[in-house]
Amino acid sequence: MPYTFVEHSVPLYYETIGSGTPIVFVHPPGMGSVTFHRQRELSSSFQVVTYDLRGNGKSGKGNKPITMDVLASDLHELFNHLELKEAIVCGYSNGGSIAQHFALQYPHQVKALVLIGGFSEVCTPLLYGEFFIGIYAVKWHGIPILANVLGNSHGITKEEQQMLADYVRLCDRQRLYEMYVTGLHYRSTDRLHELRCPILLIYGSRDYYVHTYGRIFQQHAHDVRIVYVDGARHQIPTKHHKELNLIIRSYFS
């Protein structure tokens, strides 16, 4: 299995397939790289890179508490290990916050930023609620329940639901708790004007509670395009993978 070591001692699990322009996918806390298993078909046009955040999936948890700087540094080290000078960075949900912070910290390595259901801060009641549910589920040893919820909500088939749920169960409880708390308090809105790369926002047309954030990006960033996936809610990488992969191909091939 392919690993690189960040900070010299923390194993970071990754997979890479295909050739061409690199596109690196960043998953939300808990879900792991398997979130993007249906994006592997993009390997006919891109070098597709997926990885497990530290404390998630098959990656080590390390000794440092989770911060956005730590997560961005991990991704930077993965870029260096794979000798990626520049890539499209695609973050899903709160993985999009990590992608944004990486783009702000290492702008020369980001060709474009793709955010699926992305947000620059948590400032709406429904999104607050989503985070608090995750925080308290983890705090009160509810990872098995959280795993089933995430698996069932994202999977199309029973097998896919089980695969996703099993992967969530691999998480380190402390690191997952820290990721939820960090994500809740992260705010990049005041720095969006610093981003010089193109930003592609992809939202489900029925994912109403994050539509507000598209307007925030348009107000603060320079080069923003928004695409709505008809009939979709939040779970675009799995349940609307055909549309997502077509959008990525149409914008970047």
Side-chain angles (χ1 to χ4, degrees):
M1 292 186 292
Y3 283 92
T4 186
F5 288 87
V6 295
E7 297 177 352
H8 307 294
S9 61
V10 183
L12 207 68
Y13 176 82
Y14 71 91
E15 295 183 4
T16 180
I17 183 174
S19 60
T21 301
I23 180 166
V24 181
F25 288 93
V26 186
H27 67 81
M31 293 198 64
S33 55
V34 294
T35 305
F36 303 110
H37 74 103
R38 292 184 180 272
Q39 276 63 64
R40 290 174 65 86
E41 68 179 47
L42 289 169
S43 61
S44 60
S45 305
F46 301 90
Q47 179 187 359
V48 176
V49 179
T50 58
Y51 75 107
D52 291 338
L53 301 171
R54 64 167 65 200
N56 288 243
K58 300 174 184 177
S59 290
K61 66 177 183 177
N63 295 318
K64 284 185 177 180
I66 294 296
T67 66
M68 282 295 180
D69 284 345
V70 167
L71 297 175
S73 177
D74 287 349
L75 184 52
H76 174 63
E77 291 196 44
L78 178 61
F79 265 64
N80 291 343
H81 172 73
L82 296 174
E83 299 181 344
L84 302 180
K85 293 182 178 179
E86 185 183 58
I88 301 163
V89 180
C90 180
Y92 168 45
S93 195
N94 196 26
S97 301
I98 300 167
Q100 288 171 69
H101 197 65
F102 178 78
L104 288 165
Q105 297 295 95
Y106 306 97
H108 61 287
Q109 292 187 304
V110 181
K111 180 176 183 178
L113 195 58
V114 181
L115 305 178
I116 307 164
F119 42 89
S120 60
E121 60 180 287
V122 180
C123 61
T124 58
L126 285 174
L127 193 55
Y128 265 113
E130 292 279 335
F131 272 89
F132 277 117
I133 289 170
I135 288 169
Y136 282 100
V138 176
K139 184 175 181 179
W140 298 109
H141 300 272
I143 287 183
I145 297 173
L146 182 64
N148 288 334
V149 169
L150 290 172
N152 291 339
S153 64
H154 283 80
I156 297 174
T157 65
K158 289 292 184 183
E159 291 77 14
E160 186 179 28
Q161 291 172 353
Q162 189 64 54
M163 177 190 70
L164 294 168
D166 288 345
Y167 219 79
V168 174
R169 293 188 185 96
L170 297 175
C171 289
D172 178 78
R173 188 169 71 92
Q174 179 62 30
R175 293 294 175 261
L176 183 55
Y177 175 80
E178 292 166 355
M179 284 185 178
Y180 274 124
V181 173
T182 297
L184 175 63
H185 295 292
Y186 182 69
R187 176 185 168 93
S188 67
T189 304
D190 297 335
R191 296 189 63 191
L192 291 177
H193 68 278
E194 298 176 29
L195 294 172
R196 290 293 181 256
C197 64
I199 302 171
L200 176 61
L201 304 176
I202 303 173
Y203 294 115
S205 65
R206 300 173 64 193
D207 195 14
Y208 305 114
Y209 73 98
V210 291
H211 289 179
T212 298
Y213 297 103
R215 292 188 286 273
I216 292 175
F217 278 97
Q218 288 179 318
Q219 290 168 4
H220 293 272
H222 297 279
D223 185 357
V224 179
R225 296 185 181 185
I226 302 179
V227 176
Y228 294 98
V229 179
D230 189 42
R233 295 188 184 274
H234 199 61
Q235 301 85 0
I236 291 175
T238 51
K239 290 194 169 179
H240 294 270
H241 58 97
K242 291 181 181 178
E243 295 94 325
L244 173 61
N245 295 347
L246 180 61
I247 291 166
I248 290 173
R249 278 201 171 95
S250 65
Y251 272 83
F252 301 111
S253 291

